[in-house]
Amino acid sequence: MSHNSEQEDHDLPVEGNSVSFSKTRREHSTEIMEDYVEAIADLIFESGEARVVELSRRIGVTHVTVTRTIDRLEKAGYVICPPYRAIFLTEKGNALARSCKERHQIVVAFLHSLGISEQTANLDAEGIEHHVSTETLQAFKHHLALLHKVTL
Amino acid sequence: MSHNSEQEDHDLPVEGNSVSFSKTRREHSTEIMEDYVEAIADLIFESGEARVVELSRRIGVTHVTVTRTIDRLEKAGYVICPPYRAIFLTEKGNALARSCKERHQIVVAFLHSLGISEQTANLDAEGIEHHVSTETLQAFKHHLALLHKVTL
DNA sequence: TCCTTAATGTAGCCTATGCTACATTCTGCA
DNA sequence: TGCAGAATGTAGCATAGGCTACATTAAGGA
């Protein structure tokens, strides 16, 4: 008795075999990646190089967590991180950093334009920026452009 | 030799002892919780009760994942879920659902008011709503109120 | 009433993200 | 040059959130 054979259907999420952790999950992973890449770009810009210690201070996690995330970033092709050396962005990583930074700035400027304080705008932008679609980003830009015209 | 004793500092994240998984992580957990509570409230409203299967269909994960998340929600005091029965919201859960729903609607309306399509507004709102501070939400409301006045 | 089937529960595995504790390598200064 | 201390690496643990496979319970129709 018991289970006769296949339950023919089991459940629904069938898409990929193993690569199927749903939208939210995948997006969360992406968020973290983006935050790291952005922070790395900032560090390189500010101090010439990105070190694990500095990253961990900036992001607020231990150096161990940073190291492992960097490993994943390296596997994904965003960074190169030779043992005991600094972290370097690949071209792919640089491109991602640039687009993240641009998006971040637009979101902050947009929030700010609504009368939201500098501080809150920055804090909220960090959470919001990862969930803004191209269409919404365009709308933000459009809104900013309008404001700019009016101000002229 | 080797490690003399305590490395006096180890690393930085010292706040709580164990309860210290950083901001991003904690917020992500909250997001999932909120999504579930909202979905449960919707299901109860629409069909009289929230069942695990329906939730899993709605959220897009297997019933196993739903079950475990519900366990956590139960431990956190948001729901009650007797074995083989439906899922019930506690007063705390109901309150959370209400405030999430309100916030969600404001974000959607706001995005829509910027000329963003219904569909994108809804999709983006799902990601954005969890990262909107009280101040920003107020600004959104304010913006909507202004528009409403102009339209009159 | 029984028995099939849908819903629910449980066991066990995986990855991502955190952590502490400890080991190793680099680096700068005495 | 050598060595102390900082930076980096590694081992091992925890939790959240995914999954498949299988077991158990509930519910409805023959």
Side-chain angles (χ1 to χ4, degrees), chain A residues 27-56:
Chain A
E27 278 178 0
H28 184 238
S29 206
T30 304
E31 282 173 49
I32 303 247
M33 299 279 219
E34 289 180 351
D35 284 341
Y36 273 75
V37 168
E38 248 188 289
I40 292 167
D42 284 348
L43 281 178
I44 290 176
F45 178 75
E46 290 166 22
S47 59
E49 63 174 13
R51 307 298 308 212
V52 171
V53 203
E54 257 320 299
L55 254 189
S56 76

Side-chain angles (χ1 to χ4, degrees), chain B residues 74-138:
Chain B
E74 191 159 28
K75 285 202 188 78
Y78 292 108
V79 303
I80 290 172
C81 187
Y84 295 100
R85 299 283 314 283
I87 304 155
F88 303 95
L89 286 173
T90 61
E91 201 31 63
K92 187 179 169 187
N94 249 312
L96 181 60
R98 270 193 300 270
S99 76
C100 285
K101 187 153 203 73
E102 191 205 345
R103 199 181 46 186
H104 178 80
Q105 285 168 342
I106 291 171
V107 174
V108 170
F110 175 75
L111 291 179
H112 200 55
S113 81
L114 292 175
I116 294 163
S117 72
E118 192 91 30
Q119 197 188 353
T120 304
N122 264 294
L123 276 178
D124 284 19
E126 278 175 28
I128 292 175
E129 60 178 282
H130 303 289
H131 304 278
V132 167
S133 64
T134 309
E135 185 184 342
T136 298
L137 199 65
Q138 283 308 118

Side-chain angles (χ1 to χ4, degrees), chain A residues 119-130:
Chain A
Q119 198 189 353
T120 305
N122 264 295
L123 277 178
D124 283 19
E126 279 175 27
I128 292 175
E129 60 179 279
H130 303 288

Side-chain angles (χ1 to χ4, degrees), chain B residues 11-30:
Chain B
D11 261 320
L12 34 127
V14 196
E15 25 178 319
N17 249 357
S18 37
V19 202
S20 74
F21 47 113
S22 84
K23 200 190 155 214
T24 312
R25 185 103 190 105
R26 191 165 41 242
E27 279 179 0
H28 183 239
S29 206
T30 304

